[in-house]
Amino acid sequence: MFSKNSILYIVPTPIGNLSDISQRAINILSSVDVIATENIYHSRKLFSYFKIKTRTISFNDHNEKKKSQVLIARLLKGQSIALVSDAGTPLISDPGYYLVNQAHNTGIKIVPLPGPCAVITALSASGLPSNQFTFGGFLPEKKKARKDKLLEIVKVKHTCIFYESPHRIIESLKSMLDIFGPERQVVLARELTKIFETIQSMPLGKLVKWVEKDIYQQRGEIVLLIHGYNMEDSNINELPEEVTRALTILVNELSFKKAISVVSKIYNCKKNVLYKWGLINLITKY
């Protein structure tokens, strides 16, 4: 029989603006026995601002399994623990899965709090369809793996969302351009709730050039939202047989992007139409 105090709280924290924390979150963080935080030094600013003096313990990707055992032991002894990440809702591309899973396995009560999450914040302001969406975390670092991941969603009809880091934003946008073509609508949401917040929606071709020219758009916390595939936007039935035949042959000799470029120049066809025809008919060969 567990003590009524044996509770693991999942507590979201602000993604930028400290005022976004809830009063309930402050009350819980102030009253639990221990706060498990991704980065003690990062969380100190928040705790200091709200005069939260609860003891903290480091809990991150590197020590999650080891510290989970320690935290589960504390919970079994009747202590209450709050789990927080650097920002936003824990477990959303942050540590915590193993701890929560183990808490379930041992029958410990888990109480989640609603609160800030960059994915939902960005989606709500993106102007993209929000009735159905997929969140893919961070895109892979390596180019081939990143393109393979993008190929998996190239025909997905709903909005797809990814996090991205500043030092990879240009590479990732260019990978998207290679896979989706220049006309796919993409939203870049950066530094949400902060002073230099940016929410910009553009066709991918224009967005890549805009971000390349403005170094400030390559900084901070970034969310990328991709409009779902829409076959109705394509005039693929207008393509002559000789054009599709040429593209089919060249895609086996050149990269998909290069084959599109060559055929577009030879037959004076729009690249976005060629992209869409190729995605439907040749994507497995790319």
Side-chain angles (χ1 to χ4, degrees):
M1 187 73 177
F2 293 113
S3 164
K4 65 179 181 179
N5 296 321
S6 300
I7 300 174
L8 173 62
Y9 294 96
I10 313 299
V11 183
T13 53
I15 57 177
N17 191 320
L18 296 183
S19 299
D20 290 335
I21 195 169
S22 69
Q23 185 60 54
R24 183 185 177 202
I26 294 172
N27 292 343
I28 288 175
L29 292 174
S30 300
S31 61
V32 293
D33 295 296
V34 177
I35 300 173
T37 175
E38 186 177 3
N39 187 312
I40 292 174
Y41 299 102
H42 182 90
S43 298
R44 187 171 290 168
K45 177 182 177 182
L46 176 71
F47 298 159
S48 176
Y49 186 83
F50 290 104
K51 297 180 173 58
I52 296 169
K53 299 179 180 180
T54 306
R55 180 185 175 187
T56 57
I57 182 171
S58 173
F59 184 84
N60 52 53
D61 287 323
H62 304 292
N63 65 16
E64 180 172 358
K65 288 191 175 182
K66 182 178 179 180
K67 288 296 179 69
S68 290
Q69 296 175 3
V70 174
L71 294 174
I72 292 295
R74 285 176 173 269
L75 288 161
L76 292 173
K77 291 179 180 178
Q79 293 189 8
S80 58
I81 295 174
L83 173 66
V84 302
S85 58
D86 284 350
T89 301
L91 281 78
I92 310 301
S93 287
D94 283 322
Y97 162 75
Y98 186 81
L99 173 61
V100 173
N101 181 263
Q102 291 300 301
H104 273 288
N105 290 341
T106 52
I108 291 169
K109 185 177 180 179
I110 302 168
V111 176
L113 275 64
C117 176
V119 175
I120 303 304
T121 303
L123 179 63
S124 68
S126 68
L128 300 183
S130 56
N131 59 317
Q132 184 179 4
F133 65 93
T134 295
F135 173 57
F138 283 90
L139 284 167
E141 293 185 25
K142 294 185 178 180
K143 185 176 182 179
K144 184 182 184 306
R146 183 166 60 243
K147 286 192 172 184
D148 287 344
K149 173 59 69 174
L150 294 173
L151 282 170
E152 291 177 6
I153 65 164
V154 72
K155 292 185 185 178
V156 171
K157 295 180 181 180
H158 55 257
T159 300
C160 292
I161 308 173
F162 294 96
Y163 286 156
E164 194 48 276
S165 58
H167 67 279
R168 288 202 307 267
I169 183 61
I170 296 297
E171 292 179 6
S172 289
L173 286 175
K174 287 184 176 179
S175 291
M176 290 181 183
L177 184 61
D178 288 342
I179 302 301
F180 301 123
E183 300 301 319
R184 185 73 70 99
Q185 197 74 13
V186 173
V187 176
L188 181 145
R190 186 185 69 86
E191 293 292 85
L192 292 170
T193 78
K194 301 177 185 178
I195 295 175
F196 299 107
E197 177 181 88
T198 299
I199 302 174
Q200 185 63 254
S201 178
M202 289 184 185
L204 193 47
K206 292 183 179 180
L207 183 64
V208 172
K209 294 178 181 178
W210 180 67
V211 175
E212 280 186 312
K213 290 180 180 179
D214 189 347
I215 193 172
Y216 293 104
Q217 304 308 325
Q218 303 171 31
R219 298 176 178 175
E221 304 294 329
I222 300 170
V223 185
L224 294 171
L225 305 96
I226 306 165
H227 196 293
Y229 175 75
N230 186 356
M231 185 176 174
E232 294 179 358
D233 292 338
S234 172
N235 296 317
I236 59 174
N237 293 327
E238 298 178 1
L239 289 175
E241 183 179 350
E242 60 181 317
V243 174
T244 58
R245 183 171 181 272
L247 184 56
T248 301
I249 293 172
L250 286 177
V251 83
N252 290 316
E253 305 295 332
L254 306 171
S255 70
F256 187 55
K257 182 179 179 181
K258 185 64 176 177
I260 294 289
S261 179
V262 171
V263 173
S264 174
K265 291 176 181 178
I266 294 176
Y267 293 99
N268 194 29
C269 296
K270 292 183 178 180
K271 288 184 179 180
N272 64 311
V273 176
L274 292 171
Y275 261 103
K276 290 172 182 176
W277 186 90
L279 293 178
I280 294 171
N281 297 281
L282 305 175
I283 197 64
T284 57
K285 298 180 180 180
Y286 174 51

